Amino acid sequence: MKVKKVKTYRLIVALFLVLSYIGLGNEKLGNVTVQAQPSEKVYSIVTDTSYAPFEFLDGEGNLIGIDIDLLAAIAEDQGFEYELMNLPFSSGLQAIESGQADGMIAGMGITDERKDSFDFSDPYFQGGSMFAVAADSEIESLEDLKGYNVAVKIGTTGEAIAQELSGEYGFSVTTFEDSVNMYQDVIAGNSQAVIEDAPVMQYAVNTGAVDLRLIGEEMESIPFGFAVNKGNNSELIEMFNAGLTNIQASGEYDEILATYLGNESSEEAVDSSFFGQIRQNWPALSSGLVTTIWITLVAFVLAMFIGILIGLMRSGQSAVLSGIALVYVDIMRGVPLLVLAFFIYFGIPQMTGINLSASVAGILTLSLNAAAYVAENVRGGIQAVAKGQAEAGRSLGLNYGKTMRRIILPQAFKIMIPSFINQFVITLKDTSILSVIGLVELTQTGRIIIARTYQSGNMWLIIGLMYIILITILTKISNRLEKELV
């Protein structure tokens, strides 16, 4: 039995170390450093990964798009160096305001409202919004939309246009969080039309990613610009403007636009079958899977350490320590995980000036949250041990500490193990929330792939099966460890 235990422990420790090494080596997974030299300033530039053709990941997992190519050309022309930080658009804005990043390029429209918080470069693109319908639809104009439904994306210019025109043309509006679900709603027949940024819509149609047909004219065109926080990094704006002027004069600017906005598709054909999606996207999926595993393992080990300590404080004889532990548990169980992630990644830098990487912030978020539940599991396990056990210890002349270590905790630990395993599984699934701070784990990898291929059905099935297989394997390992410990 002892030999089996040693082998199991060694296997788990070895797996933990390997995954941690891989994870730390990919701490900037999804981020790209361009020509970084230790002796020179490297600017942190925020971008998105799900806004084709401006920024998206190709089948190899490489970040490409109009914004990415323009920034690379301008940086080469001006001789500055940068590092890309991949964040959702709304999180990217917070990263700029909190000082986590120096600039942002993500198909960002220059509006009067945004000018109050950001300084913009000269416009590098002009884009409006357009309506589209299913390719086989009989709708030819906005007048034909009367009595039908139009899908829009929340917070976009398209939504504002649709709301304004809905009364005039007699259609209703349904809102979505992202373009993919918006398009799928039209293809499924639940909505009869969709409105989206014209270049994004044109790219999706030209590449054959969605079976839609554009109708009407482009509306309310607005300029796109490179942004920095108000009053900061003026030299970066100046270099961007100078470089933009130069590449426009040389013709490189037009070549970049033609690459993504030409009539011919620049993308390889997408195999929409189940196994085709796995084959084409396995490098990205495996990378997201590794990130999910190592983040979970590191966070849970830290949560166990903190949680056991808090649980012992809650069960101890000191009223002060018990009160501190109770406050911690109440706070961590009361704060939503999403709010905690935002506070650690964006709030702490603003309050202290200390910047945390997405990986570190994600680990802290998961471990601090899980520690509160581990602490309650510890307290419950201790209370589940019969009171007679403590009395027996005292009758043998043992003090409180020795009674706890030698009698109570060994019995309580066996009771706690199933709860610990359950919390481990919960922590693994909670990693999906960390995409809001730019961590490209398994769920975010699925979103990024769908944003490029628009094949949501099979991809979410693949992601779901990967979670099931992963959790099943890890649960079997945990149950094996439980049997050996008991």
Side-chain angles (χ1 to χ4, degrees):
M1 177 63 75
K2 289 183 178 179
V3 175
K4 290 183 178 180
K5 287 185 179 181
V6 171
K7 288 183 178 180
T8 302
Y9 294 156
R10 286 179 177 176
L11 178 61
I12 294 173
V13 170
L15 179 62
F16 174 77
L17 292 176
V18 169
L19 290 172
S20 296
Y21 175 78
I22 294 173
L24 290 172
N26 289 281
E27 183 174 349
K28 299 224 178 251
L29 185 65
N31 295 344
V32 180
T33 303
V34 180
Q35 299 177 341
Q37 298 293 333
S39 60
E40 300 180 14
K41 178 176 176 58
V42 179
Y43 292 98
S44 296
I45 309 298
V46 172
T47 189
D48 200 350
T49 54
S50 57
Y51 192 63
F54 290 94
E55 43 269 326
F56 61 102
L57 296 183
D58 63 13
E60 301 290 324
N62 301 312
L63 188 59
I64 61 174
I66 293 174
D67 286 349
I68 308 305
D69 291 359
L70 285 179
L71 181 60
I74 290 170
E76 182 178 358
D77 180 83
Q78 293 295 299
F80 68 86
E81 298 161 4
Y82 63 93
E83 177 186 69
L84 289 176
M85 298 174 57
N86 297 336
L87 288 169
F89 188 82
S90 59
S91 298
L93 297 178
Q94 295 181 63
I96 297 295
E97 292 180 313
S98 65
Q100 288 276 54
D102 300 309
M104 181 171 182
I105 184 167
M108 189 173 180
I110 303 175
T111 64
D112 291 336
E113 182 180 7
R114 287 175 179 162
K115 285 181 180 180
D116 292 336
S117 302
F118 306 98
D119 290 328
F120 285 93
S121 68
D122 296 334
Y124 66 83
F125 193 85
Q126 193 84 14
S129 300
M130 290 191 71
F131 282 86
V133 296
D136 58 356
S137 173
E138 297 181 357
I139 297 174
E140 298 293 339
S141 65
L142 298 185
E143 286 77 8
D144 298 332
L145 290 175
K146 184 175 182 179
Y148 288 124
N149 194 58
V150 174
V152 303
K153 186 165 62 175
I154 294 175
T156 62
T157 304
E159 180 192 15
I161 293 174
Q163 296 289 0
E164 182 179 346
L165 296 179
S166 60
E168 178 181 352
Y169 291 100
F171 58 79
S172 57
V173 175
T174 301
T175 58
F176 293 87
E177 288 287 347
D178 55 59
S179 299
V180 175
N181 290 332
M182 184 172 64
Y183 294 150
Q184 294 298 322
D185 196 59
V186 176
I187 294 173
N190 299 321
S191 293
Q192 285 67 46
V194 59
I195 182 170
E196 171 69 297
D197 292 342
V200 177
M201 186 92 75
Q202 289 169 342
Y203 182 82
V205 172
N206 290 342
T207 58
V210 291
D211 194 18
L212 298 177
R213 174 170 52 83
L214 301 174
I215 63 171
E217 301 294 330
E218 189 170 327
M219 303 178 180
E220 294 193 18
S221 181
I222 62 173
F224 290 3
F226 176 82
V228 299
N229 203 16
K230 193 77 173 177
N232 296 325
N233 294 306
S234 59
E235 78 286 352
L236 187 54
I237 289 289
E238 292 173 2
M239 288 190 292
F240 188 94
N241 288 338
L244 178 61
T245 299
N246 291 340
I247 66 171
Q248 286 174 331
S250 69
E252 186 175 3
Y253 172 86
D254 293 326
E255 292 176 2
I256 292 172
L257 293 189
T259 300
Y260 298 97
L261 298 180
N263 290 327
E264 297 299 325
S265 169
S266 61
E267 285 282 284
E268 61 178 315
V270 175
D271 186 345
S272 60
S273 68
F274 179 83
F275 293 105
Q277 287 284 285
I278 295 177
R279 183 176 62 256
Q280 289 185 344
N281 299 294
W282 181 248
L285 289 170
S286 60
S287 180
L289 178 63
V290 169
T291 300
T292 295
I293 295 173
W294 85 263
I295 288 289
T296 301
L297 289 174
V298 175
F300 190 71
V301 169
L302 185 58
M304 287 290 290
F305 176 80
I306 299 173
I308 290 174
L309 179 61
I310 297 297
L312 292 175
M313 291 169 59
R314 281 275 281 136
S315 304
Q317 296 179 318
S318 172
V320 174
L321 293 179
S322 180
I324 293 173
L326 178 60
V327 170
Y328 175 87
V329 171
D330 286 345
I331 291 176
M332 288 301 155
R333 292 202 302 182
V335 176
L337 199 59
L338 185 63
V339 175
L340 183 60
F342 278 137
F343 173 75
I344 291 176
Y345 191 63
F346 298 118
I348 290 179
Q350 284 186 310
M351 295 170 62
T352 66
I354 300 174
N355 291 332
L356 302 174
S357 69
S359 296
V360 172
I363 290 170
L364 287 176
T365 299
L366 293 177
S367 58
L368 292 176
N369 175 267
Y373 296 94
V374 170
E376 288 300 279
N377 292 335
V378 170
R379 184 175 68 88
I382 292 174
Q383 291 180 345
V385 177
K387 293 182 179 180
Q389 298 294 312
E391 294 172 356
R394 286 196 295 270
S395 67
L396 294 174
L398 300 178
N399 59 28
Y400 175 81
K402 289 184 178 180
T403 301
M404 185 64 69
R405 288 195 307 271
R406 298 182 179 181
I407 299 177
I408 305 300
L409 287 180
Q411 299 179 68
F413 186 68
K414 296 178 182 179
I415 300 172
M416 300 173 201
I417 289 178
S419 298
F420 289 160
I421 295 173
N422 183 60
Q423 185 58 49
F424 177 78
V425 172
I426 292 173
T427 301
L428 188 147
K429 292 190 289 186
D430 282 345
T431 57
S432 61
I433 295 177
L434 301 180
S435 62
V436 298
I437 59 174
L439 194 66
V440 187
E441 40 63 63
L442 187 55
T443 300
Q444 178 65 358
T445 299
R447 290 196 185 103
I448 291 171
I449 293 171
I450 292 170
R452 172 175 55 85
T453 65
Y454 297 94
Q455 304 295 322
S456 59
N458 280 333
M459 184 48 59
W460 286 130
L461 177 59
I462 291 168
I463 296 295
L465 289 175
M466 290 180 72
Y467 271 114
I468 291 172
I469 294 171
L470 174 60
I471 290 172
T472 300
I473 292 173
L474 293 177
T475 300
K476 295 296 183 183
I477 294 174
S478 300
N479 289 338
R480 170 78 176 274
L481 181 60
E482 177 187 356
K483 290 178 180 179
E484 293 188 0
L485 290 173
V486 174

